[in-house]
Amino acid sequence: MPARALYRFAPLVLSVALLAACRGGDTPPPADDPAAQPAVDAALATDAPWVAALDTRIDALDDAMPGRFGVHVRHYGAQPGTLDRGQDRAWYLSSTIKIPVAIAVLEQVDAGTLSLDDTLTLAQTDFVDGAGDMLEHKPGQTFSLAALLEKSLRDSDSTATDMLIRKLGEDHLNARIQAWTGGGFGPVTTILQVRYDAYGPVHPGVAQLDNMAIVRLRNAEAGEPRLQALASALGVARADLDADTLDAVFDAYYRSDRNTATLPAFAVLLDRLAAGELLSPDSTRRMLEHMRAISTGDRRISAGLPPGTDFAQKTGTQHRRACNVGVIDAERARDGATLVLACAEDFDELAQAETAFQGLGRALGETVLDADAGG
């Protein structure tokens, strides 16, 4: 049975069980190096002087933005501490899931089971809409793992990402995420599967559409034109779709736990990455270099940070959802890095979320970063 058709048969109890599992990860696992545990414990405190000031600033940003704005900040340094405004719940991650995908690939490179020089052949079935240039290439072309990693992280290319997940296997990927974080993540799927899972409940024929039909849906404007395009692809009347609006279609998908995580759980992943606990020094360096060079973050947190701030980051965007996660001063790791995770939802326009992300960048510069600088 095609994986995209399974949504019709998955029992409700499984979703409930997985959602309960997603509640894990709020208590970080011990540091690999026992000597580092005091720094971790200090950074989890909530009484640092900058915490209240940053909380007030974010409160104003949240009030000004339609929808909800979740933020988690953990700081190591002269004034260690944590501010968690993640509302004790999971958030939809969109393309920020490309971070654990890349870590899982590089983990196998470090183990010697994969090589960055290994190649994957682009198949017609790999194509999925999104950023990057992979849609411009022809099936049959080969790409090294190194090239696909760069495209996935720097350009947020979803086709490259899905090729990497195809190589890893979803079960392996999710098992590794669980091992790294101790819980807090829902199941991570391919980007293409997201499309099938979102549109699938609208009409049973969606499961039979090929991936290129799904890709072409993005040629239609988000909203009613997208649903009309879906009806046309299915060869049915618009009235045959079980969907009042595109917002309702995606809201139903977001109520699942797929491709979600609590912000503290994702913070554990970023913390362990920067601390060198997940990958070799070379692979850690490669990850952070790609995250520093992303082409999709100019209008989010980095736009508000002080000029020259070292921010290794990843963005994610989907219908009425956006995230920006990363590590400031990652090379300092538990001696002075700052973990930042922010997700916005149910905004009217992406620009509203981007304004909140930029405001968060300014608030970080004027509170936690300024406090450590002696300001």
Side-chain angles (χ1 to χ4, degrees):
M1 180 183 298
R4 58 181 179 267
L6 289 178
Y7 72 90
R8 288 182 291 168
F9 303 96
L12 179 61
V13 66
L14 176 60
S15 295
V16 172
L18 288 173
L19 186 59
C22 187
R23 293 289 304 111
D26 294 337
T27 302
D32 280 3
D33 179 5
Q37 193 60 44
V40 175
D41 293 340
L44 292 173
T46 59
D47 57 354
W50 57 266
V51 171
L54 182 58
D55 188 40
T56 298
R57 295 283 295 271
I58 297 174
D59 204 36
L61 295 172
D62 196 4
D63 286 345
M65 190 198 81
R68 287 161 293 281
F69 191 45
V71 177
H72 183 93
V73 177
R74 188 198 301 183
H75 177 64
Y76 293 98
Q79 295 190 24
T82 291
L83 170 64
D84 181 25
R85 292 179 57 99
Q87 301 175 18
D88 196 30
R89 45 154 288 198
W91 294 76
Y92 186 74
L93 300 174
S94 53
S95 285
T96 63
I97 63 103
K98 293 166 183 175
I99 291 177
V101 171
I103 294 173
V105 171
L106 288 170
E107 181 182 58
Q108 291 202 12
V109 170
D110 290 342
T113 55
L114 292 177
S115 167
L116 290 171
D117 295 328
D118 290 345
T119 60
L120 297 180
T121 301
L122 176 64
Q124 180 83 8
T125 52
D126 287 322
F127 288 120
V128 60
D129 59 275
D133 67 359
M134 288 294 286
L135 280 169
E136 301 172 12
H137 293 277
K138 295 181 179 180
Q141 289 185 256
T142 59
F143 298 86
S144 68
L145 291 184
L148 293 173
L149 278 170
E150 181 171 340
K151 289 176 179 294
S152 176
L153 286 174
R154 296 194 182 203
D155 301 330
S156 204
D157 195 301
S158 294
T159 299
T161 303
D162 278 7
M163 291 174 71
L164 294 173
I165 295 176
R166 170 161 62 86
K167 181 65 175 177
L168 291 166
E170 287 186 23
D171 288 346
H172 173 82
L173 172 62
N174 283 291
R176 296 312 299 146
I177 294 172
Q178 170 72 23
W180 300 328
T181 64
F185 276 75
V188 171
T189 72
T190 64
I191 309 299
L192 181 60
Q193 188 65 44
V194 171
R195 312 307 190 232
Y196 281 110
D197 287 343
Y199 293 120
V202 171
H203 191 280
V206 169
Q208 279 69 54
L209 290 177
D210 67 24
N211 63 305
M212 294 311 298
I214 299 295
V215 169
R216 287 191 291 271
L217 291 179
R218 289 301 293 267
N219 294 330
E221 182 181 351
E224 181 59 24
R226 184 77 53 80
L227 293 177
Q228 292 175 358
L230 177 60
S232 178
L234 291 166
V236 302
R238 167 65 180 87
D240 291 332
L241 301 186
D242 185 15
D244 293 331
T245 65
L246 189 67
D247 286 355
V249 169
F250 276 88
D251 284 346
Y253 172 72
Y254 294 140
R255 285 193 288 272
S256 78
D257 62 340
R258 285 159 287 185
N259 301 295
T260 66
T262 66
L263 299 185
F266 209 134
V268 170
L269 185 71
L270 293 179
D271 179 43
R272 299 194 68 198
L273 171 65
E277 292 184 354
L278 301 182
L279 299 171
S280 69
D282 284 347
S283 290
T284 300
R285 191 176 307 110
R286 181 181 294 269
M287 277 287 306
L288 295 175
E289 286 176 355
H290 285 329
M291 291 170 64
R292 290 185 179 104
I294 71 167
S295 59
T296 58
D298 291 346
R299 298 181 60 84
R300 299 201 182 176
I301 294 173
S302 62
L305 289 171
T309 300
D310 173 25
F311 188 35
Q313 60 172 317
K314 184 73 190 75
T315 61
T317 310
Q318 195 166 278
H319 186 72
R320 303 183 75 203
R321 295 292 186 274
C323 288
N324 194 181
V325 305
V327 188
I328 297 171
D329 295 327
E331 298 293 344
R332 298 181 65 191
R334 292 175 181 147
D335 291 327
T338 304
L339 314 176
V340 183
L341 306 98
C343 290
E345 64 182 22
D346 291 338
F347 42 82
D348 299 321
E349 299 177 355
L350 180 59
Q352 296 167 328
E354 291 174 337
T355 296
F357 289 126
Q358 293 166 23
L360 173 58
R362 287 190 292 273
L364 288 167
E366 295 166 6
T367 56
V368 56
L369 303 183
D370 187 58
D372 251 18

